Amino acid sequence: MNVVSDNAQRPTSSSGSGGKSAEKIALENNKLHKRLCRLVGQAIGDFNMIEDGDKVMVCLSGGKDSYALLDLLLTLRERAPIHFDIVAVNLDQKQPGFPEDVLPAYLEQLGVPYHIENQDTYSIVKRLIPEGKTTCSLCSRLRRGILYRVADELGCNKIALGHHRDDILETFFLNMFFGGKLKGMPAKLVSDDGKHMVIRPMAYVKEEDTERYAEVKNFPIIPCNLCGSQENLQRKHIKAMLREWEKKHPGRVENIYSSLSTVVPSHLMDRQLFNFTDLQMDGVANPLGDIAFDEEPCATPSSVPGVIALQRDL
Ligand code: SF4
């Protein structure tokens, strides 16, 4: 059963698309769909996120990222050489104005097993947190506990979240700027209660791609500001900073992201990660060793103006 409607391959109207022809738009949509499938498949493979026999609980908030996650996992399951089950779960936190029919209608139409968990965390948070104080930390702690319990009740051994590359980068900078830690958001990690495997199959996907994909697939997005709380302001600033960098220095954000998977512990200062105390010389040349006063090469030397001038003078 192909449970995924294939709007991604369907031409859409050319209005608002810069006068592109329907064929061109269809081609771009198709490329986007393929790219997303490839990136999600790659992340799943790289981190061994899903194995044969798994039951994956896909957390569906009604936002673009979680819709894209469910959609792409369903597509990949059709093609996967292994068998795994998917259950979509939404936690209805009883925020005022939450349109409770939207997700069940969408999931019925897809034919995906699903569960809506009704828990009025909104009232609890409102009761316990004084007016004007930020409610997100209690709200998300309550949500986390409920989702772990639901995963147990549904017999799910994996919990899939829709966080993407930009969420991971923003978290990385938030932790660095405000927490003094080099720490991002893991693609796969055991939950803090030690009982669940949390996976983020969208870890390699750019946010702008999920935005476009949501438009192409026409997901019935539920607004995320129903609780009335402000989105984390610092995260907003970091998002803006990254977008600005990407605009002014194309490739910089991509490089920062790849640095997260190319860590050189001996060139950092964490004594837990690298044993500086017992370090010994072994007389063997090592390109990863210290290069004394030399600058780390960070650009192709011939492209650096100073080097070009120096080469001319020598
Ligand atoms: S924005 Fe609202 S729903 Fe989201 S974590 Fe904060 S309080 Fe909870």
Side-chain angles (χ1 to χ4, degrees):
M1 175 182 58
N2 188 352
V3 285
V4 182
S5 66
D6 228 351
N7 290 348
Q9 304 187 18
R10 203 176 294 155
T12 54
S13 145
S14 65
S15 64
S17 306
K20 288 180 192 163
S21 70
E23 284 74 13
K24 182 133 198 268
I25 294 168
L27 199 71
E28 284 177 5
N29 292 347
N30 195 24
K31 265 167 69 181
L32 173 67
H33 185 233
K34 280 190 176 150
R35 181 165 69 248
L36 292 179
C37 285
R38 178 174 50 77
L39 291 172
V40 172
Q42 195 183 333
I44 291 174
D46 286 354
F47 292 89
N48 192 25
M49 288 187 195
I50 300 180
E51 293 160 281
D52 194 43
D54 276 350
K55 190 168 183 185
V56 183
M57 178 172 114
V58 178
C59 298
L60 193 63
S61 64
K64 63 182 184 348
D65 307 327
S66 60
Y67 274 121
L69 170 67
L70 177 64
D71 182 296
L72 293 162
L73 281 184
L74 288 170
T75 306
L76 290 173
R77 188 176 61 165
E78 293 291 309
R79 305 170 182 174
I82 56 166
H83 172 84
F84 61 96
D85 291 314
I86 288 176
V87 187
V89 168
N90 169 253
L91 171 59
D92 179 349
Q93 298 179 269
K94 300 296 164 201
Q95 289 160 5
F98 184 79
E100 48 189 44
D101 301 334
V102 169
L103 287 169
Y106 175 77
L107 294 164
E108 292 281 348
Q109 166 232 317
L110 277 189
V112 186
Y114 70 93
H115 170 78
I116 307 288
E117 178 72 15
N118 291 293
Q119 292 287 335
D120 187 356
T121 60
Y122 176 78
S123 300
I124 299 175
V125 165
K126 283 280 156 198
R127 198 173 63 240
L128 295 180
I129 306 281
E131 196 62 40
K133 297 272 176 204
T134 169
T135 49
C136 294
S137 81
L138 175 61
C139 175
S140 46
R141 199 155 11 112
L142 293 171
R143 183 169 51 213
R144 199 161 69 232
I146 294 166
L147 289 173
Y148 291 168
R149 173 180 57 73
V150 172
D152 284 341
E153 288 169 4
L154 296 173
C156 295
N157 61 330
K158 300 271 167 76
I159 299 177
L161 303 176
H163 296 120
H164 44 65
R165 185 200 74 160
D166 298 66
D167 288 322
I168 292 174
L169 278 170
E170 287 158 21
T171 306
F172 175 70
F173 281 105
L174 276 171
N175 281 328
M176 200 184 335
F177 290 176
F178 303 102
K181 281 190 185 129
L182 270 192
K183 179 182 163 191
M185 184 186 257
K188 175 186 178 185
L189 199 65
V190 174
S191 57
D192 58 344
D193 68 353
K195 294 183 190 157
H196 304 90
M197 189 63 76
V198 178
I199 57 173
R200 294 184 169 87
M202 308 270 284
Y204 293 165
V205 173
K206 291 181 189 176
E207 181 168 27
E208 63 181 59
D209 279 349
T210 68
E211 280 163 0
R212 258 197 65 212
Y213 196 59
E215 276 172 31
V216 170
K217 299 288 283 192
N218 205 13
F219 294 137
I221 304 289
I222 297 175
C224 58
N225 54 357
L226 296 171
C227 66
S229 178
Q230 279 288 335
E231 197 195 329
N232 182 337
L233 219 55
Q234 301 300 355
R235 186 175 283 276
K236 266 188 175 168
H237 288 154
I238 287 175
K239 191 187 280 289
M241 175 188 85
L242 292 172
R243 292 218 160 156
E244 181 74 8
W245 279 354
E246 194 50 33
K247 215 162 50 191
K248 286 196 177 153
H249 313 280
R252 176 183 287 188
V253 172
E254 203 58 57
N255 274 341
I256 297 170
Y257 192 67
S258 44
S259 74
L260 296 183
S261 46
T262 321
V263 177
V264 186
S266 61
H267 289 48
L268 295 172
M269 309 276 284
D270 191 334
R271 286 170 287 134
Q272 308 290 328
L273 274 187
F274 190 81
N275 186 356
F276 294 98
T277 310
D278 300 324
L279 197 55
Q280 298 289 329
M281 295 154 293
D282 58 11
V284 179
N286 179 354
L288 286 181
D290 201 295
I291 55 171
F293 301 107
D294 282 11
E295 290 277 339
E296 281 287 337
C298 58
T300 320
S302 60
S303 69
V304 179
V307 172
I308 297 169
L310 195 61
Q311 281 166 340
R312 249 199 329 260
D313 294 346
L314 286 173

